[in-house]
Amino acid sequence: MSGRAWYAATPPAAVLPDALLAARLLALDPRGTGAVIRAQNGPLRERWLAFWRAHLAPATTIRKMPPMIGDDRLLGGLDLSATLAAGHEIAERGLLAESDGGVVIALMAERLSVATAARLAQALDAGAVALARDGLSRRLPARIGVLAFDEGLNEEERLPAVLGEHLAFRLDFSDIAARDMIWPRADPEAITAARRSVGAIGASEAMLGALCEIAAALGIHSLRAPLLALRAARGHAALAGKRAIDEADVTIAARLVLAPRAVQLPPQAVAEAQNPPAEKHQDASRNRAPAPGEADDGRRQEDDHARPGENESPPSAAQILAAVRAHLPPGLLAGAGGKLSRTRAGAVGRVGATRSEAKRGRPIGVSRGEPKGGKRLHVIATLRAAAPWQPLRRDAAGRGKDGGHVLVRRSDFRVIRYREPAATLTIFVVDASGSTAFERLAEAKGAVELLLGECYVRRDQVALVAFRGQGAEVLLPPTHALARARRALSALPGGGATPLAAGLDVARGLVIAAQQRGESATVVVLTDGRANIARDGAPLRARAEADARAAAAALRARGSSGVLIDTARWPHPFARELAAAMGVSFLALPQADAATLSRAARAARMGST
């Protein structure tokens, strides 16, 4: 499923009413929950924020949090100047503690690190932040709500799942134009009245059971989801002036909270999609007379003599599911009962691979260590680590409480940690032999060109290897120049035999060179798998296949990731064997255009990185 479908739980026409309702529910009491909002910075997002703020309780604290915030600012720590002046440790409150009782707005949330997202999730769970750093051990209240604005532009950029699971609502403003919307007037008085009564809203066991059944039917295994839905149902009941939640409140909660989290179609919907009934006879069995000897257990008499209201049944999860079915993510409805295709667990927004042990790049924190081997000393962090020990060290040195300089020990040294984008090389190995050139070479060229464009956006290097005739050659050495790569691709000739082993050998040489430069390499092989030229140039198919297996095993030993795409009209078994020998994904695409090939290669590369 696409990144957008992960957020879009409702058709575009229904997004704004649901977003306004979510804003009102969040305004009741935002602490402990929040929303993920897929929206770029613009008038629509600002109008929604203004509508939400108008319903908040007076004096609610709102803090904006940048995506690259450090632990010092987020959690707090030692106030160095005050500590050195006072002679004892003095704690400094971080952003989470400053936001106690209010809301943290996470801007560009798709760029949050997993560690930062986990700290926000911990504050949502515990209502406090544990400060155990710089010699301090504190537990500061941080009863917060979180609005996470996801401004990602593609499928790879998304909010870390550890935080998204804690946020009740998921909204998508991507396909909405602000000029087409009619905004209602804010009604803060109604929210104030609901805020006083929401704590007393009751929920029967039938309602709780219905929420759990709906979550299970949608493939949601986390208990947090039905709890968030229950909270939304209570808020909706309070807004309507009710004393207990009913089926309408459960339906709204399931639509807003559970539907966006769905990972499968309900079993009943799957059965209907796979076996659509020709005629509807649901009521026939109910109205027929019992057959001779068939026991009816007195049910018909009970139905006929039941008093009004006596037979009212608890809310049916199936009925509620039918009501929210139109709001399920589009990816679920595309294939009956098929599991949602998700990216790797724990994937976060990224624009390229990174190295955390780099000696240059973007600072991401500090760690204990000595400034050796190119590592840089972080003076402030070192003084923070030394400050709590000054009274003891001065007493041991006989200098008194206020005498002498700051005493620093080797254990106090802190060095700066950097994160540097790691260079990535994508090697395209294209079969330009006669068996492919006359059938699929045009599609292969188109797919490679699309993938080249993606690599350029990600600032990856690309290389192009073509094999045909008696050997293979590097048509394009590793480069960032997209125009040069396209020229080399357009001039790629076709025809001749298939020296598959030679193409893999040349690719292995490029992988070795990249790894020696500290880069990671991905190999994308497009071939029909019909090797017929051995390494020594002999036109013997058996030897050619054996050499290709050996070359694939040697390439696997280098630890590179990749994918082998069989572009033949009729997939060849040897291509699958070759992919297994390489240790990469195998894709058989006998009927595919350039766009399909590029999407398949992109998915395989993402799954193997």
Side-chain angles (χ1 to χ4, degrees):
M1 184 181 67
S2 67
R4 176 171 296 180
W6 185 76
Y7 294 94
T10 57
V15 169
L16 185 64
D18 283 352
L20 296 179
L21 178 56
R24 299 175 70 202
L25 294 175
L26 284 172
L28 285 174
D29 184 6
R31 295 173 298 179
T33 184
V36 185
I37 304 168
R38 185 90 166 181
Q40 300 296 316
N41 190 12
L44 181 61
R45 193 171 92 176
E46 293 303 318
R47 288 290 302 272
W48 185 90
L49 276 174
F51 183 84
W52 167 72
R53 286 195 184 101
H55 293 90
L56 283 175
T60 300
T61 303
I62 300 176
R63 292 284 188 272
K64 292 185 178 181
M65 186 189 75
M68 303 304 178
I69 189 171
D71 284 347
D72 290 343
R73 181 68 188 104
L74 183 67
L75 304 177
L78 195 69
D79 190 330
L80 184 60
S81 60
T83 296
L84 294 176
H88 59 86
E89 66 271 11
I90 296 179
E92 181 182 22
R93 299 206 316 164
L95 184 141
L96 293 182
E98 292 175 354
S99 306
D100 181 39
V103 180
V104 173
I105 297 180
L107 303 174
M108 294 188 290
E110 76 281 357
R111 295 181 179 270
L112 287 177
S113 67
V114 176
T116 301
R119 291 183 176 92
L120 287 173
Q122 183 182 25
L124 289 171
D125 272 339
V129 56
L131 176 59
R133 53 196 307 270
D134 297 336
L136 296 173
S137 180
R138 300 284 192 276
R139 185 176 176 84
L140 304 177
R143 297 160 296 179
I144 63 171
V146 175
L147 291 184
F149 283 104
D150 187 340
E151 303 177 22
L153 299 176
N154 54 52
E155 300 176 8
E156 298 179 31
E157 297 180 341
R158 64 173 57 190
L159 181 75
V162 65
L163 177 58
E165 184 183 357
H166 287 71
L167 305 181
F169 307 107
R170 299 177 180 180
L171 308 171
D172 190 350
F173 294 165
S174 302
D175 297 325
I176 303 178
R179 61 181 180 274
D180 298 332
M181 297 299 105
I182 299 177
W183 295 80
R185 294 182 60 183
D187 189 8
E189 291 79 11
I191 300 296
T192 302
R195 191 177 291 121
R196 291 194 294 262
S197 63
V198 67
I201 298 295
S204 65
E205 292 186 4
M207 299 297 174
L208 299 177
L211 285 174
C212 293
E213 287 183 29
I214 294 168
L218 296 177
I220 305 170
H221 302 297
S222 171
L223 291 177
R224 184 174 283 108
L227 289 175
L228 292 173
L230 174 62
R231 178 170 175 166
R234 280 179 167 153
H236 189 264
L239 291 174
K242 303 175 186 176
R243 296 183 178 180
I245 64 174
D246 56 20
E247 187 170 349
D249 303 316
V250 173
T251 302
I252 291 293
R255 190 180 82 200
L256 294 180
V257 179
L258 299 181
R261 289 171 161 81
V263 296
Q264 69 180 26
L265 279 176
Q268 182 179 2
V270 175
E272 292 176 358
Q274 293 177 347
N275 301 298
E279 298 180 5
K280 295 184 178 180
H281 297 292
Q282 285 84 354
D283 296 331
S285 59
R286 181 178 178 181
N287 296 329
R288 70 176 177 84
E294 179 181 355
D296 61 358
D297 298 329
R299 294 172 186 168
R300 295 178 59 82
Q301 287 83 352
E302 292 180 3
D303 291 342
D304 294 338
H305 298 90
R307 289 174 296 180
E310 184 176 326
N311 278 355
E312 289 185 359
S313 60
S316 168
Q319 294 175 355
I320 298 175
L321 279 170
V324 302
R325 183 176 176 183
H327 302 271
L328 293 176
L332 296 178
L333 302 177
K339 288 286 184 180
L340 202 62
S341 61
R342 288 187 165 183
T343 56
R344 296 172 292 118
V348 298
R350 57 189 286 269
V351 294
T354 58
R355 292 187 297 172
S356 298
E357 299 300 326
K359 297 182 177 61
R360 61 181 181 178
R362 181 175 61 83
I364 60 173
V366 297
S367 61
R368 178 178 297 179
E370 299 184 27
K372 297 179 179 178
K375 296 182 179 179
R376 300 182 183 180
L377 181 69
H378 195 294
V379 179
I380 301 299
T382 300
L383 293 177
R384 286 179 183 273
W389 303 99
Q390 295 309 300
L392 293 177
R393 292 175 181 176
R394 287 171 180 166
D395 290 343
R399 297 186 179 183
K401 181 180 295 185
D402 300 323
H405 301 287
V406 177
L407 302 179
V408 179
R409 300 288 185 264
R410 179 175 296 180
S411 60
D412 300 328
F413 287 157
R414 299 294 186 271
V415 294
I416 305 175
R417 295 172 53 226
Y418 294 95
R419 175 174 294 168
E420 179 185 12
T424 302
L425 173 64
T426 302
I427 305 169
F428 297 98
V429 185
V430 181
D431 185 350
S433 64
S435 58
T436 299
F438 298 115
E439 296 182 3
R440 306 303 301 280
L441 187 55
E443 289 87 347
K445 285 183 177 181
V448 173
E449 185 166 350
L450 291 174
L451 293 170
L452 283 172
E454 180 193 353
C455 291
Y456 178 76
V457 172
R458 294 169 57 90
R459 299 301 187 266
D460 290 348
Q461 284 189 316
V462 295
L464 180 62
V465 176
F467 57 93
R468 59 185 289 269
Q470 297 297 311
E473 60 178 330
V474 179
L475 294 182
L476 181 68
T479 182
H480 291 287
L482 181 61
R484 182 183 175 191
R486 285 176 172 169
R487 286 196 300 269
L489 188 64
S490 62
L492 177 62
T498 309
L500 188 51
L504 298 180
D505 286 338
V506 173
R508 183 168 65 91
L510 293 176
V511 169
I512 294 173
Q515 292 175 345
Q516 291 175 347
R517 296 191 300 267
E519 303 173 356
S520 59
T522 299
V523 180
V524 179
V525 182
L526 295 96
T527 180
D528 61 359
R530 290 172 170 79
N532 52 25
I533 295 294
R535 277 173 167 163
D536 59 1
L540 300 174
R541 185 176 297 277
R543 284 178 53 187
E545 292 182 352
D547 288 346
R549 290 191 188 94
L555 188 58
R556 180 177 187 172
R558 301 305 308 181
S560 61
S561 61
V563 55
L564 188 147
I565 302 177
D566 186 353
T567 59
R569 294 291 182 186
W570 296 275
H572 198 275
F574 179 71
R576 186 181 296 275
E577 297 177 14
L578 195 65
M582 290 177 60
V584 300
S585 303
F586 171 77
L587 296 171
L589 298 175
Q591 295 180 351
D593 55 11
T596 305
L597 287 172
S598 64
R599 287 194 299 267
R602 185 186 308 116
R605 289 196 304 126
M606 288 177 57
S608 58
T609 54

